[in-house]
Amino acid sequence: QKKVAILISGGGSNMVSLVKSMTGDQAGDHPGRPCLVLSNKPDAGGLLKAAELGVPTEVIDHRNFKGDREAFEEALISAIDPYQPDVIAMAGFMRILTPKFITHYAGKMLNIHPSLLPKYKGLHTHQRAIEAGDAEAGCSVHEVTAELDGGPILGQARVPVLPNDTPDDLAARVLVKEHLLYPEVLKRFCQGERGSFEI
Ligand code: GAR
């Protein structure tokens, strides 16, 4: 079985969907199991949810490193490596990682991004899709490379943009799809599949 570490910064709804897909009633002979949930924010709501799900948690607060990214990432690596993960799944982890960290976990890292990549890398994806007048939006799970939100796309899901949508309306519609997409990509990734698909 592949050991999966999940990195979060917030509410952790994607983390919960990933953990449940590996451990819940429907998990069956899932090829992965959660070994760690790590947050860079001590007050992230997802930490409590992870603990309730019986997954070990760690916190590395980026604010303790006063902008020293290298020291922050060394602390992240020191916290993660004892769990010997095979997969690092970023799920709403809102820190940009340097090539050094990404190289350390090369070929093991996944991220979910709330847009139809390659459109709208970075922040405020839903607002940008609405302002552009796009008819559809969605989410992507991709492999993490040194290019921000730029690694190979492994899966995508689409939703319509409806008239008068606010960014929050659209985010909620996309999030429902994120919770379906990410577990499916993770499962395939743990099985060694690297192709791209759409749900
Ligand atoms: C999700 O919508 C995820 O796609 C997004 O943050 C949210 C986290 O929600 N990620 C990014 O914007 C990455 N740049 P969650 O904590 O409930 O999973």
Side-chain angles (χ1 to χ4, degrees), residues 63 120 129:
R63 291 171 304 184
Y120 311 128

PDB file of all heavy atoms in Angstrom, residues 63 120 129:
ATOM      1  N   ARG A  63       4.690  31.095   9.929  1.00  0.00           N
ATOM      2  CA  ARG A  63       4.953  32.403  10.545  1.00  0.00           C
ATOM      3  C   ARG A  63       6.149  32.358  11.500  1.00  0.00           C
ATOM      4  O   ARG A  63       6.751  33.378  11.806  1.00  0.00           O
ATOM      5  CB  ARG A  63       3.707  32.900  11.288  1.00  0.00           C
ATOM      6  CG  ARG A  63       2.564  33.262  10.328  1.00  0.00           C
ATOM      7  CD  ARG A  63       1.294  33.547  11.083  1.00  0.00           C
ATOM      8  NE  ARG A  63       0.932  32.419  11.939  1.00  0.00           N
ATOM      9  CZ  ARG A  63      -0.167  32.333  12.660  1.00  0.00           C
ATOM     10  NH1 ARG A  63      -1.040  33.316  12.640  1.00  0.00           N
ATOM     11  NH2 ARG A  63      -0.406  31.268  13.403  1.00  0.00           N
ATOM     12  N   TYR A 120      -6.158  30.108 -15.533  1.00  0.00           N
ATOM     13  CA  TYR A 120      -6.260  30.646 -14.176  1.00  0.00           C
ATOM     14  C   TYR A 120      -5.387  29.920 -13.154  1.00  0.00           C
ATOM     15  O   TYR A 120      -5.868  29.403 -12.156  1.00  0.00           O
ATOM     16  CB  TYR A 120      -7.727  30.661 -13.720  1.00  0.00           C
ATOM     17  CG  TYR A 120      -8.661  31.277 -14.722  1.00  0.00           C
ATOM     18  CD1 TYR A 120      -9.812  30.616 -15.151  1.00  0.00           C
ATOM     19  CD2 TYR A 120      -8.359  32.509 -15.299  1.00  0.00           C
ATOM     20  CE1 TYR A 120     -10.641  31.161 -16.103  1.00  0.00           C
ATOM     21  CE2 TYR A 120      -9.189  33.066 -16.261  1.00  0.00           C
ATOM     22  CZ  TYR A 120     -10.321  32.384 -16.650  1.00  0.00           C
ATOM     23  OH  TYR A 120     -11.132  32.933 -17.599  1.00  0.00           O
ATOM     24  N   ALA A 129     -12.807  33.559 -13.722  1.00  0.00           N
ATOM     25  CA  ALA A 129     -13.630  32.850 -14.705  1.00  0.00           C
ATOM     26  C   ALA A 129     -14.934  33.612 -14.969  1.00  0.00           C
ATOM     27  O   ALA A 129     -15.386  33.732 -16.111  1.00  0.00           O
ATOM     28  CB  ALA A 129     -13.922  31.432 -14.217  1.00  0.00           C
TER      29      ALA A 129
END
